[in-house]
Amino acid sequence: MNHLVVIRYYKPGDELLCREIIREGTMSTVNTAFIAGLTREITFQTMILTSAMMFIFLGVPFGVCFWSIPAVIVLMYVFIWLGHTYKALEMTEDVSNIPRVYMSSEFTGFWVAEAHEPYFMTREPNNVKYTIMSERELRERNIEIHQNHGKRVVGTVAITRSRNGPDTAWLRRMAVAPRYQRKGIASALLDEALRFCMDRGYAAVELVTSECHDAARELYLKKGFELKQMYHKPIVGTVVSIQMYALIFRIRPSEVTSTNALQ
């Protein structure tokens, strides 16, 4: 197979590309978050109120007040970019030590999607069809990987314990490199993570995503996740916020729920 993606467990040395993929994934939503914030009613109210206060209370000429509107827009974009940059740094920091953060017990794990492709490709990855399989499937089907092919980590996903209970898993760090998206890689990573949770006896899997990740949210819902909670996460005070979605995948009734039902 000339173009193959293998879903495998993390190996030492994957950290650099994992950090890059997660950073790209975080920063890719800057424009989406900016547009979402710009189209909210409170944003327009803030811009008009700022101009009015400058004109009425400070006596600033109307022409100058008018320019406060684009100034607010620019500042909003800067704050959103800075917020995403800080978040990217925070997220990549824990990926710098995957064994400690994500592989501290048998109930946690970190997986990567590794693309195997010719060193000299004549087409871009988004124009290539990839065969995707897990390491287990690779062994079962006795498929040999070309030794002269290049290897590159193009996706990540992780499982940790949720703070909501010992029988609930928390799905984190789902990301796929932009050039390899819409290939089924995210779906395969999610399947591997859910299979792990089922094997470890988890009752449910939870995650949080935002309105900036429509494609990811659609994938989660398609895989059987349900909406648990919706809330707004502030980015620039109360002026700019993002709609967040807490989702849950129920594997079996939790012990807490079962105990309460018996009582």
Side-chain angles (χ1 to χ4, degrees):
M1 296 182 181
N2 287 332
H3 302 91
L4 175 68
V5 173
V6 178
I7 309 300
R8 62 167 175 79
Y9 215 50
Y10 157 87
K11 295 178 182 177
D14 293 333
E15 295 92 342
L16 182 61
L17 285 175
C18 288
R19 289 201 303 267
E20 181 62 24
I21 291 169
I22 291 171
R23 188 195 67 79
E24 286 182 347
T26 303
M27 299 304 295
S28 67
T29 60
V30 169
N31 291 338
T32 306
F34 172 67
I35 293 172
L38 191 62
T39 54
R40 287 199 168 88
E41 184 178 353
I42 190 173
T43 304
F44 289 101
Q45 292 175 346
T46 301
M47 291 188 291
I48 294 172
L49 182 61
T50 301
S51 299
M53 291 180 65
M54 291 174 63
F55 180 73
I56 297 172
F57 297 106
L58 301 178
V60 178
F62 179 77
V64 177
C65 295
F66 176 80
W67 284 104
S68 67
I69 295 177
V72 170
I73 294 175
V74 171
L75 284 174
M76 184 172 64
Y77 185 88
V78 170
F79 280 118
I80 290 175
W81 183 86
L82 289 173
H84 278 69
T85 301
Y86 176 79
K87 183 64 176 178
L89 290 172
E90 182 182 36
M91 293 174 68
T92 54
E93 181 64 26
D94 63 11
V95 178
S96 299
N97 197 346
I98 293 174
R100 178 180 61 83
V101 179
Y102 296 104
M103 302 172 67
S104 56
S105 76
E106 61 177 322
F107 296 98
T108 60
F110 196 102
W111 297 263
V112 302
E114 184 179 65
H116 296 255
E117 51 200 6
Y119 282 111
F120 302 102
M121 289 181 58
T122 58
R123 293 180 293 171
E124 285 293 312
N126 53 8
N127 295 321
V128 175
K129 183 177 181 180
Y130 289 83
T131 300
I132 306 171
M133 63 181 65
S134 65
E135 277 189 310
R136 181 184 59 261
E137 293 172 319
L138 199 68
R139 290 192 299 268
E140 291 174 352
R141 295 170 61 178
N142 197 27
I143 296 175
E144 294 186 4
I145 299 176
H146 292 284
Q147 297 299 320
N148 59 340
H149 278 192
K151 296 186 294 184
R152 179 182 178 83
V153 173
V154 298
T156 64
V157 70
I159 289 291
T160 61
R161 283 187 182 274
S162 172
R163 296 178 180 177
N164 296 329
D167 62 346
T168 303
W170 188 254
L171 190 142
R172 309 180 70 191
R173 305 301 178 249
M174 169 68 81
V176 176
R179 295 195 305 160
Y180 292 84
Q181 292 177 1
R182 291 178 172 80
K183 299 290 182 183
I185 296 174
S187 179
L189 283 166
L190 183 56
D191 287 341
E192 190 70 16
L194 292 178
R195 188 180 298 112
F196 172 85
C197 293
M198 294 176 186
D199 292 342
R200 292 300 186 274
Y202 279 113
V205 184
E206 294 182 339
L207 63 86
V208 172
T209 186
S210 74
E211 63 179 321
C212 299
H213 298 91
D214 288 335
R217 190 167 69 254
E218 290 177 7
L219 172 63
Y220 296 138
L221 295 175
K222 183 179 179 181
K223 291 291 185 179
F225 280 82
E226 302 171 357
L227 179 63
K228 181 181 179 182
Q229 182 185 7
M230 293 173 57
Y231 60 94
H232 281 90
K233 179 180 180 180
I235 297 181
V236 184
T238 58
V239 178
V240 182
S241 61
I242 294 182
Q243 182 78 51
M244 304 297 293
Y245 302 86
L247 305 179
I248 184 170
F249 180 88
R250 304 182 190 278
I251 300 174
R252 60 178 175 79
S254 67
E255 295 178 3
V256 175
T257 303
S258 301
T259 301
N260 290 338
L262 291 174
Q263 294 176 347

